Amino acid sequence: MEENESITLEEAKEKISYLENLLREKDQTTYKTFFDQDEDAVVVFDLESQLFIDCNAKLTSILGFTKEKFLTLSVYDISPKFQPNGQPSDVLAGKYIEDGFKYGNVKFDWVHLNVKGEEVFCEVKLFNYIREDGKRFARGVIQKKDQLLELQKKLEEKEKLLSKVTKTLPAIIYIQDLSTNEFLYLNNSIESFLGFEVEPIVTYEYLIKHILHPDDLHLIDDHAKKMLSEKNTDIYVLDFRVFHKNGNILWFRVWETNFSFNKDGIPTEVLGIAQDITTTKKIEIDLKKQNDLSEEIRKISKSGVWEWNTNTNQLFWTPALFYLLNVNPDIFAPTIQTFTRFFTQDSQIFLIEALSKAAKEFIPFDLELEITGSPNFWVRIQGKSIQSNSNENIIIGSIEDIDETRKKRIALLENEARFHQVANQTGFIIYDYDIKLDKITWDGAIKSVLGYEIEEFNHLDIEGWLNLIHPDDRMFTKELLADAIGTRSPYHAFYRIRSKDNVYIPIEDRGTFITTDISTAPRQVGVLENVSAKFEFESKLQSKEERFRNFYNFASEAIIITEGDLILDANLAFRKLFGYEHVHKVLVSEIIADPLWNGLDTKDKSFSLEGIKKDGTLIPIQVNKKEFEEGKFILSFIDLTLINEAESIREALKEIKDKNNLIISQKLELEKTIDELKLTQSQLIQNEKMASLGQLIAGIAHEINNPMGAIQASSQLILENFKNQILHQDKIIQLLSTINKKKRELYFHWMVNSSTKRNQLHGSEARKQKKSIREKLEVFGCKESEYISEEVVDMGVQDCLPMIEHMCNENDFVDLFNYGMEYIRTTQNLNSILESIQRVSKILYALKNFSHFDKIGAKMQTDLISNIETVLILYNSQIKTGIKIIRNFPEIPVIIPCFPDDLIQVWTNLIFNAIQAMNYKGILTISVKHPPEDTQRKKWVQILIEDNGCGIKEEIKDKIFEPFFTTKELGEGSGLGLDIVKRVVHKHEGKIEVESQPGRTVFTISLPI
């Protein structure tokens, strides 16, 4: 419309109305957009009809209704009949609506019902409005109450935590009023840190006078001024020195922040935390020195970092890599091509592939590769791709020498395999129990002990294991295990367990925890041992012991057992006759009224004299003695008092005769019992030796099985080779007849020499040799170069190239070559059989020497060192895995007169005790020396057996040679080992001494020459 064009009044009103409607629609669209996107749940409803007029998406997501469904509902449709306070929902809603008109808005808690009819606790803020037409409506803002309650709960927990922290935090916490310099709050940590009580420290002036170091006051003032000038709540840190109450100077670090401000924004209070950093300050100085040292170490530690720009192909190294790869940094310029050439051919393939994937597909890599050198060594190389600021693709990585750790890791895996094989052959079942996962891993002699296959047993969890235990033993065993788990203490139990053929086997179960830390996940390892034989033997021994005790205690004659002049024990008849309640520390000489008494050794088997009762009364007695062990006697006493009555001589003689007869029968019974005890003791000694032998069975079986397996395998290969040679013999003879004599001699020379030589290679060296031989064969014109190079290197006969060079062009060369290789294999297998037989013979000879025990005989001239080596051969399997042996032997043989079988028992017990004391890992030193002659010009030889194990406690050192005394767990030792050692040494008129402390125990055996 032109400016000079005129319009009527009606047209102008119509135009104005159109524009107003357009503006109203735009405002409504804008409002609707904000309404729907509001983060709070919002609803609008008519107060007269209680129907909902509108709602946003947040509300529908809370209650689950669609918007269309929601606009057909009223307030009461989405509310339960009663609210949690017991009031009806309609009554309570009316009250809140009226309060809304009265106060403009009102906030209250309300329970809604969602689309499933479930209660939803909410907080509602209600705003009431009256439109121009007089109708009332309301807008409600709804929040789920569970979120608010959770936030409130977290807030309360944090408040409690803050209160606890301020009281228990190992730091000084304070609030200071800046206007008065007084401390509004100061926790008790000031007392533990500085020794001052909290009460006097209320002002800054007190700090200046007693605590703050004067040389640091200017730092503190500058710090305070900076905080005032900044006028913010940032955290400011300051280190300064303070005085302890005892006068020591300490370093403190404070973290301070402005805590409150006045209306002008000026800080009025400061919150601070202070901690003692005296140790840290010292560490900072030491750390700087260490950092300087670390830089030097990094250069020589054979590890470094590299970076490769794939766009420009530039490669950068840290200086340490020059040391690792042994190149001169002044003349060597690294590139990715020269970098990869440092690796072996097989490793280059993996590295190039990894670099390619990192550059193109951004795949990081972590490889263990081999680097060529003298010798080769292994490294761990890592790398990943990154984008530089200029969008260039860069691969960064590190390289580390892992040669030693890799060798140790491989050795560890080999040791584990050997351990499991030994466990299976020793008759032990081993287990590893992860208590957190309730998973048990079983291994060892499961088949031989219980009859189950290992796969069947490994399906058992803890309940499955308990179900196999005899019902009478199950509850007690379960309680023992629970106690051990709860306290992380060693677990030891005896119970019966059901085998696969439903027979219950007695078991000794010993377990221990890998860590006793209660905070870590518990894991228990242990062994199960079949103790059927031990239980049967102990039962027989106990029966014989009880039989002897009954006879001894209830005999009518007074009987005592002595050692030297000391009475070790006495029966009831003796104590009654002599009036003693007990005989502790009573001597034989105290009960004999003979001024010329000089010991039992000078008396006959039967003699008479006067005895002294405890009250001093003299009684005539007849004494009968029996020596049952060197220096130990059994004495029986007969009271002869009645014989003094002259008129009763005949009666007394008859009574004495009867008693003599009874004594003789009882003596015979006692001697029989003593002989049985001697036999039992002899059995115990032999069983102790057999127990030692049993402990060696696994190692010996392993040592014999290896050569026997080699013999079996070699024998099978020889048979197969003979068959092949017979099948091709005619053809080979015909072929050899067609070639000249010189070539035949060269061919036979190769077969004979190669049968006695074997130079086998492995790994990268074998691959290099195969490649080299293949290339030479191709130059010779050999058609089967690859096959022949493989066979030659695998058999270790690489020096056959002269023969191949002269004969490879023969038409049937491959047949001649294969026939010759069959012959070489046969002879090499025969050599392997001979070596294995020699190895078995050596083990069986040592085992024979060990098991033979000559009870009767004269001393013979024996090589002492060879005698000791016999025992070391038998213990080889237990020694070689973790024990280093140091032999300090003379260069010439040491020949002494001795009982060689007895001495083997000495070395067996002492060496095995040392192995156990070191827990099968340590250093065992065996020395043979010739000390100077003694005062009687007697010559000796000394054998010292030293270990670096746990040692012998001082309080038990005097008891270790006593029979049946042992420090080992039940079932692990009889206590006779060192008693046998002592007896054998004394039998040789020798001496044994022991000195021990933690980390060093030495047994010294002195034998006369």
Side-chain angles (χ1 to χ4, degrees), residues 105 383 408 646 723 824 854 883 957:
N105 63 75
K408 292 178 181 177
K723 291 178 182 178
I824 292 169
D854 187 9
I883 295 179
K957 192 183 293 184

Side-chain angles (χ1 to χ4, degrees), residues 557-560 562 574 577-578 588 591-594 597 599-600 603-612 619-626 633-640 660 663 667:
E557 281 72 27
I559 302 173
I560 63 174
T562 70
F574 174 85
L577 175 62
F578 282 86
V588 175
I591 64 171
I592 301 297
D594 184 353
W597 176 261
L600 288 168
K603 293 294 183 182
D604 296 330
K605 291 185 178 180
S606 181
F607 57 91
S608 300
L609 43 68
E610 284 190 312
I612 305 174
I619 56 173
I621 56 175
Q622 179 179 329
V623 184
N624 297 292
K625 76 171 186 178
K626 173 70 175 180
F633 295 90
I634 294 180
L635 304 180
S636 64
F637 300 86
I638 300 175
D639 185 1
L640 302 178
N660 277 339
I663 288 171
K667 177 184 176 184

Side-chain angles (χ1 to χ4, degrees), residues 106-118:
V106 63
K107 185 166 69 173
F108 55 89
D109 293 337
W110 192 265
V111 176
H112 289 99
L113 298 176
N114 63 15
V115 70
K116 297 179 181 179
E118 299 169 341

Side-chain angles (χ1 to χ4, degrees), residues 852-863:
H852 180 67
F853 188 79
D854 187 9
K855 299 179 181 177
I856 303 174
K859 291 183 180 180
M860 61 179 65
Q861 295 295 323
T862 303
D863 185 348

